[in-house]
mmCIF file of all heavy atoms in Angstrom:
data_model
loop_
_atom_site.group_PDB
_atom_site.id
_atom_site.type_symbol
_atom_site.label_atom_id
_atom_site.label_comp_id
_atom_site.label_asym_id
_atom_site.label_seq_id
_atom_site.Cartn_x
_atom_site.Cartn_y
_atom_site.Cartn_z
ATOM 1 N N SER A 1 13.535 0.180 -4.954
ATOM 2 C CA SER A 1 12.571 1.241 -5.214
ATOM 3 C C SER A 1 11.425 1.117 -4.232
ATOM 4 O O SER A 1 10.816 0.056 -4.083
ATOM 5 C CB SER A 1 12.050 1.146 -6.651
ATOM 6 O OG SER A 1 11.072 2.123 -6.861
ATOM 7 N N LEU A 2 11.134 2.192 -3.559
ATOM 8 C CA LEU A 2 10.072 2.204 -2.555
ATOM 9 C C LEU A 2 8.691 2.313 -3.189
ATOM 10 O O LEU A 2 7.717 1.821 -2.626
ATOM 11 C CB LEU A 2 10.308 3.388 -1.604
ATOM 12 C CG LEU A 2 9.450 3.465 -0.370
ATOM 13 C CD1 LEU A 2 9.606 2.205 0.458
ATOM 14 C CD2 LEU A 2 9.827 4.670 0.451
ATOM 15 N N LYS A 3 8.602 2.896 -4.370
ATOM 16 C CA LYS A 3 7.303 3.125 -5.000
ATOM 17 C C LYS A 3 6.483 1.849 -5.191
ATOM 18 O O LYS A 3 5.314 1.814 -4.819
ATOM 19 C CB LYS A 3 7.486 3.864 -6.331
ATOM 20 C CG LYS A 3 6.193 4.303 -6.948
ATOM 21 C CD LYS A 3 6.431 5.127 -8.201
ATOM 22 C CE LYS A 3 5.111 5.588 -8.780
ATOM 23 N NZ LYS A 3 5.280 6.393 -9.957
ATOM 24 N N PRO A 4 7.041 0.764 -5.755
ATOM 25 C CA PRO A 4 6.230 -0.453 -5.907
ATOM 26 C C PRO A 4 5.741 -0.999 -4.568
ATOM 27 O O PRO A 4 4.627 -1.497 -4.464
ATOM 28 C CB PRO A 4 7.172 -1.447 -6.594
ATOM 29 C CG PRO A 4 8.195 -0.608 -7.270
ATOM 30 C CD PRO A 4 8.345 0.615 -6.405
ATOM 31 N N CYS A 5 6.554 -0.886 -3.538
ATOM 32 C CA CYS A 5 6.149 -1.376 -2.218
ATOM 33 C C CYS A 5 4.981 -0.553 -1.677
ATOM 34 O O CYS A 5 4.052 -1.109 -1.087
ATOM 35 C CB CYS A 5 7.321 -1.309 -1.247
ATOM 36 S SG CYS A 5 8.645 -2.456 -1.665
ATOM 37 N N VAL A 6 5.030 0.747 -1.885
ATOM 38 C CA VAL A 6 3.958 1.619 -1.414
ATOM 39 C C VAL A 6 2.659 1.299 -2.158
ATOM 40 O O VAL A 6 1.589 1.223 -1.554
ATOM 41 C CB VAL A 6 4.335 3.110 -1.579
ATOM 42 C CG1 VAL A 6 3.153 4.010 -1.317
ATOM 43 C CG2 VAL A 6 5.490 3.459 -0.656
ATOM 44 N N VAL A 7 2.748 1.063 -3.455
ATOM 45 C CA VAL A 7 1.565 0.737 -4.249
ATOM 46 C C VAL A 7 0.954 -0.575 -3.777
ATOM 47 O O VAL A 7 -0.260 -0.678 -3.590
ATOM 48 C CB VAL A 7 1.914 0.676 -5.760
ATOM 49 C CG1 VAL A 7 0.768 0.104 -6.567
ATOM 50 C CG2 VAL A 7 2.288 2.056 -6.265
ATOM 51 N N VAL A 8 1.768 -1.585 -3.555
ATOM 52 C CA VAL A 8 1.272 -2.882 -3.087
ATOM 53 C C VAL A 8 0.616 -2.732 -1.717
ATOM 54 O O VAL A 8 -0.469 -3.262 -1.476
ATOM 55 C CB VAL A 8 2.410 -3.932 -3.050
ATOM 56 C CG1 VAL A 8 1.982 -5.193 -2.316
ATOM 57 C CG2 VAL A 8 2.862 -4.267 -4.459
ATOM 58 N N LEU A 9 1.253 -1.993 -0.831
ATOM 59 C CA LEU A 9 0.686 -1.767 0.501
ATOM 60 C C LEU A 9 -0.642 -1.033 0.397
ATOM 61 O O LEU A 9 -1.612 -1.377 1.073
ATOM 62 C CB LEU A 9 1.669 -0.979 1.371
ATOM 63 C CG LEU A 9 1.192 -0.649 2.780
ATOM 64 C CD1 LEU A 9 0.925 -1.931 3.561
ATOM 65 C CD2 LEU A 9 2.217 0.206 3.496
ATOM 66 N N TYR A 10 -0.708 -0.031 -0.449
ATOM 67 C CA TYR A 10 -1.922 0.757 -0.645
ATOM 68 C C TYR A 10 -3.069 -0.129 -1.143
ATOM 69 O O TYR A 10 -4.182 -0.079 -0.619
ATOM 70 C CB TYR A 10 -1.622 1.875 -1.647
ATOM 71 C CG TYR A 10 -2.665 2.927 -1.754
ATOM 72 C CD1 TYR A 10 -2.907 3.822 -0.735
ATOM 73 C CD2 TYR A 10 -3.419 3.048 -2.910
ATOM 74 C CE1 TYR A 10 -3.872 4.799 -0.852
ATOM 75 C CE2 TYR A 10 -4.384 4.012 -3.035
ATOM 76 C CZ TYR A 10 -4.608 4.891 -2.005
ATOM 77 O OH TYR A 10 -5.569 5.852 -2.129
ATOM 78 N N VAL A 11 -2.809 -0.955 -2.144
ATOM 79 C CA VAL A 11 -3.831 -1.854 -2.683
ATOM 80 C C VAL A 11 -4.264 -2.859 -1.618
ATOM 81 O O VAL A 11 -5.454 -3.140 -1.466
ATOM 82 C CB VAL A 11 -3.330 -2.568 -3.956
ATOM 83 C CG1 VAL A 11 -4.273 -3.675 -4.381
ATOM 84 C CG2 VAL A 11 -3.149 -1.561 -5.079
ATOM 85 N N PHE A 12 -3.309 -3.370 -0.857
ATOM 86 C CA PHE A 12 -3.652 -4.304 0.213
ATOM 87 C C PHE A 12 -4.562 -3.650 1.250
ATOM 88 O O PHE A 12 -5.567 -4.225 1.658
ATOM 89 C CB PHE A 12 -2.388 -4.828 0.902
ATOM 90 C CG PHE A 12 -2.691 -5.629 2.140
ATOM 91 C CD1 PHE A 12 -3.146 -6.928 2.040
ATOM 92 C CD2 PHE A 12 -2.549 -5.068 3.400
ATOM 93 C CE1 PHE A 12 -3.450 -7.664 3.179
ATOM 94 C CE2 PHE A 12 -2.852 -5.791 4.537
ATOM 95 C CZ PHE A 12 -3.298 -7.097 4.430
ATOM 96 N N LEU A 13 -4.209 -2.435 1.672
ATOM 97 C CA LEU A 13 -5.024 -1.749 2.675
ATOM 98 C C LEU A 13 -6.427 -1.473 2.170
ATOM 99 O O LEU A 13 -7.406 -1.625 2.907
ATOM 100 C CB LEU A 13 -4.340 -0.448 3.115
ATOM 101 C CG LEU A 13 -3.074 -0.637 3.943
ATOM 102 C CD1 LEU A 13 -2.395 0.706 4.196
ATOM 103 C CD2 LEU A 13 -3.378 -1.337 5.253
ATOM 104 N N ILE A 14 -6.543 -1.089 0.929
ATOM 105 C CA ILE A 14 -7.864 -0.829 0.370
ATOM 106 C C ILE A 14 -8.653 -2.127 0.267
ATOM 107 O O ILE A 14 -9.824 -2.169 0.635
ATOM 108 C CB ILE A 14 -7.747 -0.136 -0.994
ATOM 109 C CG1 ILE A 14 -7.228 1.252 -0.744
ATOM 110 C CG2 ILE A 14 -9.076 -0.135 -1.727
ATOM 111 C CD1 ILE A 14 -7.175 2.166 -1.869
ATOM 112 N N SER A 15 -8.015 -3.175 -0.198
ATOM 113 C CA SER A 15 -8.696 -4.469 -0.292
ATOM 114 C C SER A 15 -9.146 -4.934 1.083
ATOM 115 O O SER A 15 -10.257 -5.416 1.258
ATOM 116 C CB SER A 15 -7.773 -5.521 -0.908
ATOM 117 O OG SER A 15 -7.403 -5.142 -2.198
ATOM 118 N N TYR A 16 -8.295 -4.764 2.070
ATOM 119 C CA TYR A 16 -8.628 -5.154 3.423
ATOM 120 C C TYR A 16 -9.821 -4.354 3.933
ATOM 121 O O TYR A 16 -10.759 -4.903 4.499
ATOM 122 C CB TYR A 16 -7.419 -4.940 4.343
ATOM 123 C CG TYR A 16 -7.694 -5.306 5.776
ATOM 124 C CD1 TYR A 16 -7.716 -6.646 6.165
ATOM 125 C CD2 TYR A 16 -7.925 -4.337 6.731
ATOM 126 C CE1 TYR A 16 -7.972 -6.999 7.472
ATOM 127 C CE2 TYR A 16 -8.190 -4.676 8.042
ATOM 128 C CZ TYR A 16 -8.206 -6.007 8.410
ATOM 129 O OH TYR A 16 -8.468 -6.347 9.702
ATOM 130 N N SER A 17 -9.800 -3.043 3.684
ATOM 131 C CA SER A 17 -10.914 -2.194 4.109
ATOM 132 C C SER A 17 -12.208 -2.599 3.423
ATOM 133 O O SER A 17 -13.268 -2.603 4.026
ATOM 134 C CB SER A 17 -10.623 -0.723 3.791
ATOM 135 O OG SER A 17 -9.567 -0.262 4.581
ATOM 136 N N VAL A 18 -12.118 -2.933 2.161
ATOM 137 C CA VAL A 18 -13.298 -3.331 1.403
ATOM 138 C C VAL A 18 -13.876 -4.623 1.960
ATOM 139 O O VAL A 18 -15.091 -4.766 2.095
ATOM 140 C CB VAL A 18 -12.955 -3.490 -0.098
ATOM 141 C CG1 VAL A 18 -14.060 -4.199 -0.843
ATOM 142 C CG2 VAL A 18 -12.694 -2.136 -0.712
ATOM 143 N N LEU A 19 -13.021 -5.556 2.308
ATOM 144 C CA LEU A 19 -13.495 -6.843 2.793
ATOM 145 C C LEU A 19 -13.975 -6.801 4.248
ATOM 146 O O LEU A 19 -14.886 -7.519 4.618
ATOM 147 C CB LEU A 19 -12.384 -7.887 2.662
ATOM 148 C CG LEU A 19 -11.990 -8.222 1.239
ATOM 149 C CD1 LEU A 19 -10.765 -9.129 1.229
ATOM 150 C CD2 LEU A 19 -13.133 -8.886 0.496
ATOM 151 N N VAL A 20 -13.370 -5.963 5.064
ATOM 152 C CA VAL A 20 -13.664 -5.967 6.485
ATOM 153 C C VAL A 20 -14.713 -4.936 6.881
ATOM 154 O O VAL A 20 -15.594 -5.206 7.674
ATOM 155 C CB VAL A 20 -12.366 -5.727 7.291
ATOM 156 C CG1 VAL A 20 -12.660 -5.561 8.758
ATOM 157 C CG2 VAL A 20 -11.410 -6.881 7.073
ATOM 158 N N ARG A 21 -14.638 -3.776 6.330
ATOM 159 C CA ARG A 21 -15.500 -2.687 6.746
ATOM 160 C C ARG A 21 -16.800 -2.690 5.965
ATOM 161 O O ARG A 21 -16.816 -2.773 4.756
ATOM 162 C CB ARG A 21 -14.782 -1.357 6.538
ATOM 163 C CG ARG A 21 -15.473 -0.229 7.203
ATOM 164 C CD ARG A 21 -14.505 0.939 7.240
ATOM 165 N NE ARG A 21 -15.090 2.003 7.983
ATOM 166 C CZ ARG A 21 -14.737 2.322 9.206
ATOM 167 N NH1 ARG A 21 -13.800 1.652 9.797
ATOM 168 N NH2 ARG A 21 -15.309 3.324 9.807
ATOM 169 N N ASP A 22 -17.912 -2.545 6.637
ATOM 170 C CA ASP A 22 -19.223 -2.524 6.000
ATOM 171 C C ASP A 22 -19.647 -1.076 5.824
ATOM 172 O O ASP A 22 -19.707 -0.323 6.780
ATOM 173 C CB ASP A 22 -20.237 -3.274 6.858
ATOM 174 C CG ASP A 22 -21.575 -3.417 6.159
ATOM 175 O OD1 ASP A 22 -21.595 -3.308 4.924
ATOM 176 O OD2 ASP A 22 -22.575 -3.654 6.854
ATOM 177 N N VAL A 23 -19.913 -0.686 4.585
ATOM 178 C CA VAL A 23 -20.319 0.678 4.289
ATOM 179 C C VAL A 23 -21.749 0.646 3.792
ATOM 180 O O VAL A 23 -22.070 -0.082 2.864
ATOM 181 C CB VAL A 23 -19.393 1.302 3.211
ATOM 182 C CG1 VAL A 23 -19.825 2.706 2.898
ATOM 183 C CG2 VAL A 23 -17.960 1.271 3.670
ATOM 184 N N ASP A 24 -22.613 1.442 4.395
ATOM 185 C CA ASP A 24 -24.020 1.466 4.022
ATOM 186 C C ASP A 24 -24.263 2.592 3.025
ATOM 187 O O ASP A 24 -24.026 3.749 3.328
ATOM 188 C CB ASP A 24 -24.876 1.686 5.272
ATOM 189 C CG ASP A 24 -26.355 1.708 4.953
ATOM 190 O OD1 ASP A 24 -26.737 1.174 3.897
ATOM 191 O OD2 ASP A 24 -27.113 2.250 5.761
ATOM 192 N N ALA A 25 -24.741 2.250 1.840
ATOM 193 C CA ALA A 25 -25.021 3.259 0.825
ATOM 194 C C ALA A 25 -26.486 3.274 0.459
ATOM 195 O O ALA A 25 -26.864 3.807 -0.557
ATOM 196 C CB ALA A 25 -24.183 3.009 -0.416
ATOM 197 N N ALA A 26 -27.332 2.724 1.292
ATOM 198 C CA ALA A 26 -28.783 2.745 1.096
ATOM 199 C C ALA A 26 -29.187 2.206 -0.270
ATOM 200 O O ALA A 26 -30.131 2.692 -0.868
ATOM 201 C CB ALA A 26 -29.313 4.154 1.318
ATOM 202 N N GLY A 27 -28.490 1.219 -0.780
ATOM 203 C CA GLY A 27 -28.861 0.572 -2.023
ATOM 204 C C GLY A 27 -28.576 1.362 -3.288
ATOM 205 O O GLY A 27 -29.111 1.042 -4.338
ATOM 206 N N GLU A 28 -27.739 2.369 -3.220
ATOM 207 C CA GLU A 28 -27.425 3.174 -4.414
ATOM 208 C C GLU A 28 -26.731 2.347 -5.486
ATOM 209 O O GLU A 28 -26.735 2.719 -6.642
ATOM 210 C CB GLU A 28 -26.558 4.380 -4.049
ATOM 211 C CG GLU A 28 -27.227 5.372 -3.126
ATOM 212 C CD GLU A 28 -28.412 6.087 -3.757
ATOM 213 O OE1 GLU A 28 -28.578 6.049 -4.984
ATOM 214 O OE2 GLU A 28 -29.192 6.691 -3.002
ATOM 215 N N CYS A 29 -26.151 1.236 -5.099
ATOM 216 C CA CYS A 29 -25.450 0.389 -6.054
ATOM 217 C C CYS A 29 -26.277 -0.836 -6.425
ATOM 218 O O CYS A 29 -25.730 -1.859 -6.858
ATOM 219 C CB CYS A 29 -24.088 -0.012 -5.489
ATOM 220 S SG CYS A 29 -22.996 1.402 -5.236
ATOM 221 N N GLY A 30 -27.576 -0.725 -6.253
ATOM 222 C CA GLY A 30 -28.458 -1.833 -6.597
ATOM 223 C C GLY A 30 -28.240 -3.009 -5.673
ATOM 224 O O GLY A 30 -28.124 -2.845 -4.472
ATOM 225 N N ARG A 31 -28.145 -4.189 -6.250
ATOM 226 C CA ARG A 31 -27.970 -5.402 -5.447
ATOM 227 C C ARG A 31 -26.511 -5.648 -5.090
ATOM 228 O O ARG A 31 -26.201 -6.556 -4.326
ATOM 229 C CB ARG A 31 -28.525 -6.591 -6.210
ATOM 230 C CG ARG A 31 -30.019 -6.442 -6.465
ATOM 231 C CD ARG A 31 -30.512 -7.418 -7.468
ATOM 232 N NE ARG A 31 -30.921 -8.655 -6.817
ATOM 233 C CZ ARG A 31 -31.336 -9.711 -7.451
ATOM 234 N NH1 ARG A 31 -31.389 -9.709 -8.765
ATOM 235 N NH2 ARG A 31 -31.705 -10.784 -6.808
ATOM 236 N N THR A 32 -25.616 -4.858 -5.636
ATOM 237 C CA THR A 32 -24.188 -5.002 -5.352
ATOM 238 C C THR A 32 -23.838 -4.213 -4.095
ATOM 239 O O THR A 32 -24.129 -3.022 -4.024
ATOM 240 C CB THR A 32 -23.353 -4.459 -6.532
ATOM 241 O OG1 THR A 32 -23.738 -5.127 -7.721
ATOM 242 C CG2 THR A 32 -21.873 -4.639 -6.292
ATOM 243 N N PRO A 33 -23.214 -4.832 -3.115
ATOM 244 C CA PRO A 33 -22.782 -4.069 -1.940
ATOM 245 C C PRO A 33 -21.791 -2.984 -2.350
ATOM 246 O O PRO A 33 -20.975 -3.197 -3.255
ATOM 247 C CB PRO A 33 -22.096 -5.125 -1.057
ATOM 248 C CG PRO A 33 -22.603 -6.441 -1.546
ATOM 249 C CD PRO A 33 -22.907 -6.252 -3.005
ATOM 250 N N ILE A 34 -21.883 -1.844 -1.712
ATOM 251 C CA ILE A 34 -21.025 -0.722 -2.105
ATOM 252 C C ILE A 34 -19.548 -1.086 -2.004
ATOM 253 O O ILE A 34 -18.742 -0.643 -2.823
ATOM 254 C CB ILE A 34 -21.346 0.550 -1.301
ATOM 255 C CG1 ILE A 34 -20.636 1.749 -1.927
ATOM 256 C CG2 ILE A 34 -21.017 0.381 0.154
ATOM 257 C CD1 ILE A 34 -21.057 3.082 -1.383
ATOM 258 N N ARG A 35 -19.187 -1.911 -1.045
ATOM 259 C CA ARG A 35 -17.773 -2.283 -0.907
ATOM 260 C C ARG A 35 -17.300 -3.075 -2.125
ATOM 261 O O ARG A 35 -16.162 -2.925 -2.560
ATOM 262 C CB ARG A 35 -17.530 -3.022 0.393
ATOM 263 C CG ARG A 35 -18.246 -4.320 0.525
ATOM 264 C CD ARG A 35 -18.048 -4.945 1.910
ATOM 265 N NE ARG A 35 -18.841 -6.138 2.045
ATOM 266 C CZ ARG A 35 -20.080 -6.165 2.496
ATOM 267 N NH1 ARG A 35 -20.668 -5.056 2.854
ATOM 268 N NH2 ARG A 35 -20.731 -7.310 2.582
ATOM 269 N N SER A 36 -18.171 -3.891 -2.706
ATOM 270 C CA SER A 36 -17.813 -4.644 -3.913
ATOM 271 C C SER A 36 -17.719 -3.719 -5.119
ATOM 272 O O SER A 36 -16.813 -3.852 -5.954
ATOM 273 C CB SER A 36 -18.840 -5.736 -4.184
ATOM 274 O OG SER A 36 -18.865 -6.662 -3.135
ATOM 275 N N ALA A 37 -18.663 -2.776 -5.208
ATOM 276 C CA ALA A 37 -18.625 -1.806 -6.307
ATOM 277 C C ALA A 37 -17.361 -0.958 -6.219
ATOM 278 O O ALA A 37 -16.701 -0.690 -7.229
ATOM 279 C CB ALA A 37 -19.869 -0.929 -6.268
ATOM 280 N N ALA A 38 -17.001 -0.557 -4.998
ATOM 281 C CA ALA A 38 -15.784 0.241 -4.807
ATOM 282 C C ALA A 38 -14.542 -0.565 -5.186
ATOM 283 O O ALA A 38 -13.635 -0.042 -5.841
ATOM 284 C CB ALA A 38 -15.699 0.715 -3.364
ATOM 285 N N ALA A 39 -14.504 -1.824 -4.801
ATOM 286 C CA ALA A 39 -13.355 -2.674 -5.131
ATOM 287 C C ALA A 39 -13.197 -2.829 -6.639
ATOM 288 O O ALA A 39 -12.078 -2.905 -7.144
ATOM 289 C CB ALA A 39 -13.501 -4.039 -4.464
ATOM 290 N N SER A 40 -14.322 -2.840 -7.363
ATOM 291 C CA SER A 40 -14.233 -2.988 -8.820
ATOM 292 C C SER A 40 -13.579 -1.777 -9.477
ATOM 293 O O SER A 40 -13.106 -1.857 -10.598
ATOM 294 C CB SER A 40 -15.615 -3.223 -9.422
ATOM 295 O OG SER A 40 -16.368 -2.030 -9.461
ATOM 296 N N LEU A 41 -13.560 -0.661 -8.760
ATOM 297 C CA LEU A 41 -12.960 0.565 -9.298
ATOM 298 C C LEU A 41 -11.494 0.732 -8.896
ATOM 299 O O LEU A 41 -10.933 1.815 -9.059
ATOM 300 C CB LEU A 41 -13.771 1.787 -8.842
ATOM 301 C CG LEU A 41 -15.214 1.836 -9.347
ATOM 302 C CD1 LEU A 41 -15.934 3.038 -8.749
ATOM 303 C CD2 LEU A 41 -15.264 1.883 -10.857
ATOM 304 N N SER A 42 -10.873 -0.321 -8.401
ATOM 305 C CA SER A 42 -9.473 -0.219 -7.984
ATOM 306 C C SER A 42 -8.523 0.258 -9.086
ATOM 307 O O SER A 42 -7.538 0.927 -8.776
ATOM 308 C CB SER A 42 -8.984 -1.536 -7.385
ATOM 309 O OG SER A 42 -9.022 -2.558 -8.339
ATOM 310 N N PRO A 43 -8.798 0.006 -10.377
ATOM 311 C CA PRO A 43 -7.906 0.556 -11.407
ATOM 312 C C PRO A 43 -7.909 2.091 -11.441
ATOM 313 O O PRO A 43 -7.053 2.703 -12.056
ATOM 314 C CB PRO A 43 -8.461 0.000 -12.718
ATOM 315 C CG PRO A 43 -9.255 -1.196 -12.333
ATOM 316 C CD PRO A 43 -9.791 -0.906 -10.965
ATOM 317 N N CYS A 44 -8.864 2.708 -10.754
ATOM 318 C CA CYS A 44 -9.007 4.166 -10.776
ATOM 319 C C CYS A 44 -8.277 4.864 -9.632
ATOM 320 O O CYS A 44 -8.295 6.099 -9.565
ATOM 321 C CB CYS A 44 -10.484 4.550 -10.700
ATOM 322 S SG CYS A 44 -11.507 3.855 -11.999
ATOM 323 N N LEU A 45 -7.658 4.119 -8.743
ATOM 324 C CA LEU A 45 -7.096 4.730 -7.538
ATOM 325 C C LEU A 45 -6.120 5.868 -7.818
ATOM 326 O O LEU A 45 -6.199 6.914 -7.191
ATOM 327 C CB LEU A 45 -6.425 3.669 -6.667
ATOM 328 C CG LEU A 45 -7.371 2.806 -5.864
ATOM 329 C CD1 LEU A 45 -6.608 1.712 -5.135
ATOM 330 C CD2 LEU A 45 -8.165 3.649 -4.887
ATOM 331 N N GLY A 46 -5.208 5.675 -8.715
ATOM 332 C CA GLY A 46 -4.228 6.726 -9.012
ATOM 333 C C GLY A 46 -4.876 7.976 -9.552
ATOM 334 O O GLY A 46 -4.558 9.094 -9.140
#
């Protein structure tokens, strides 16, 4: 089944982007970096 592989790849790419790419949100997420706040919402991707 290709679907589980696509999901794993998708989560990996998002995690990689969150860890590597710096996104500036001008402190809208308080003391939490926006990339960390975004990663916490990974259950919402679908």
Side-chain angles (χ1 to χ4, degrees):
S1 177
L2 189 58
K3 188 175 182 179
C5 293
V6 170
V7 170
V8 169
L9 179 61
Y10 192 69
V11 170
F12 171 77
L13 290 174
I14 291 187
S15 299
Y16 179 77
S17 293
V18 167
L19 294 173
V20 173
R21 192 165 185 105
D22 187 21
V23 179
D24 181 21
E28 296 294 345
C29 296
R31 298 167 89 183
T32 304
I34 191 170
R35 63 185 175 270
S36 297
S40 75
L41 297 176
S42 63
C44 303
L45 283 175

